[in-house]
Amino acid sequence: MRRTFRGALAALALLPALALGAPAASADSPSPSASATGGAPAPATKAGTTFLTAVNLSPGQDAKVAASTGDYLYWAFGAAEGQTPSITLGVDLAPTADRHGPQTWSVEVFDGLRRRQACTAGTQNATGAKEATSLQLSCTLREVRTWAEPWSGDPLPGTYYVRLSVTDAPQPDLGLAASVQLHVAAKGDADNAQPEGGELKAPLVPPVGGGASTAKAAAPVAEEEHWYTGWFSGWNSRWYWTIGGGFLAALAGVLGYNLTRHPRGHRPGRYGSVPPQSGTHHHHEGHAERH
């Protein structure tokens, strides 16, 4: 009985050592994710329904989404200066037996400020007959510039949004199942950017979610100082201006009082004098007539 009790105590003493040795052994063994070979990321299987819920695509990542006819689909990707992005879309339509007529699909691209960007090449609107099984759409943007005037609407580094929608379809066909494949490619890099004589301080809109932007972040710029900078900054400046403003207001009140009380600096010759009354004047006249 004593031997059994001592053996149990020895086993309990070895438990901490076993617990410490287990993590070390697991750390030495390679994990499945670490041993996996690097390559293109897996295609995205979702799409947003608005700009705010757009699914971000990493560089080189495609999208393959099951959608419904009539839904708005949104994706977001990053573009850097000197690149020329191109978007290619393939739409597998619903079975012919379920459709009631032709369908027209459209692809649009917006920049980070949600300004629609023009396509220099590609088919933005494609119409498929009732017997068609698939559609192909594409859009090639202009080269992303390093900077541009705000009114020009030229593509700048930052986030871009892709919107796929159905512009024309029979009413009974809305809601039918469809499949969409999206591929984003970019030609060129920062070395191919044309010199514009300037540089964009920061991307238009940094991407939200898990997407990564390839645009550069701007370094903070020091504020320019002048001889009067200290007068308008700091917590003490408000007291200086408050006291000064109060003094000027009091001085203006005193001057205004003097001008309205004694205009043009003239003062009356006698103070407290009472003008003669009309009754007294008549009394003196009657006394003179008696004499």
Side-chain angles (χ1 to χ4, degrees):
M1 183 68 181
R2 292 181 178 178
R3 293 180 180 179
T4 305
F5 183 72
R6 291 177 180 177
L9 291 177
L12 292 175
L14 291 176
L15 286 178
L18 294 175
L20 293 175
S26 60
D28 295 339
S29 60
S31 60
S33 58
S35 59
T37 58
T45 58
K46 294 182 180 180
T49 55
T50 62
F51 285 101
L52 298 178
T53 60
V55 174
N56 288 282
L57 301 177
S58 302
Q61 184 181 18
D62 296 339
K64 187 174 183 181
V65 180
S68 297
T69 303
D71 290 347
Y72 282 87
L73 306 179
Y74 288 82
W75 295 274
F77 66 94
E81 56 193 30
Q83 293 183 343
T84 303
S86 59
I87 299 95
T88 304
L89 287 158
V91 181
D92 295 334
L93 302 176
T96 305
D98 298 337
R99 302 206 310 269
H100 298 79
Q103 296 182 3
T104 302
W105 292 63
S106 176
V107 58
E108 300 169 283
V109 182
F110 302 84
D111 62 7
L113 299 180
R114 301 181 186 178
R115 301 177 301 183
R116 183 176 178 179
Q117 293 294 320
C119 298
T120 60
T123 304
Q124 287 187 261
N125 302 280
T127 302
K130 184 179 181 301
E131 296 78 14
T133 59
S134 63
L135 295 175
Q136 297 294 326
L137 300 97
S138 60
C139 175
T140 301
L141 299 179
R142 295 171 291 173
E143 180 181 335
V144 178
R145 301 179 57 180
T146 56
W147 74 283
E149 298 292 343
W151 49 262
S152 65
D154 293 335
L156 295 172
T159 302
Y160 286 81
Y161 298 92
V162 180
R163 180 171 70 184
L164 179 66
S165 60
V166 178
T167 58
D168 187 17
Q171 187 69 23
D173 291 353
L174 298 179
L176 295 178
S179 178
V180 179
Q181 299 85 31
L182 170 68
H183 176 71
V184 179
K187 297 180 180 179
D189 50 24
D191 296 336
N192 299 329
Q194 299 179 0
E196 301 289 348
E199 184 178 357
L200 188 67
K201 291 185 177 181
L204 289 181
V205 174
V208 295
S213 174
T214 56
K216 299 178 180 178
V221 180
E223 297 183 0
E224 186 177 359
E225 295 185 358
H226 302 278
W227 60 272
Y228 54 82
T229 302
W231 292 9
F232 301 95
S233 62
W235 67 273
N236 287 330
S237 61
R238 68 180 65 181
W239 295 104
Y240 299 153
W241 286 102
T242 302
I243 296 173
F247 175 77
L248 293 177
L251 181 61
V254 173
L255 294 177
Y257 174 79
N258 291 332
L259 291 176
T260 55
R261 179 64 177 173
H262 309 296
R264 300 183 180 180
H266 296 289
R267 296 185 178 182
R270 295 173 60 186
Y271 291 91
S273 60
V274 180
Q277 298 182 358
S278 58
T280 306
H281 180 68
H282 288 295
H283 176 74
H284 286 291
E285 288 181 355
H287 182 73
E289 290 177 358
R290 289 179 184 180
H291 287 287

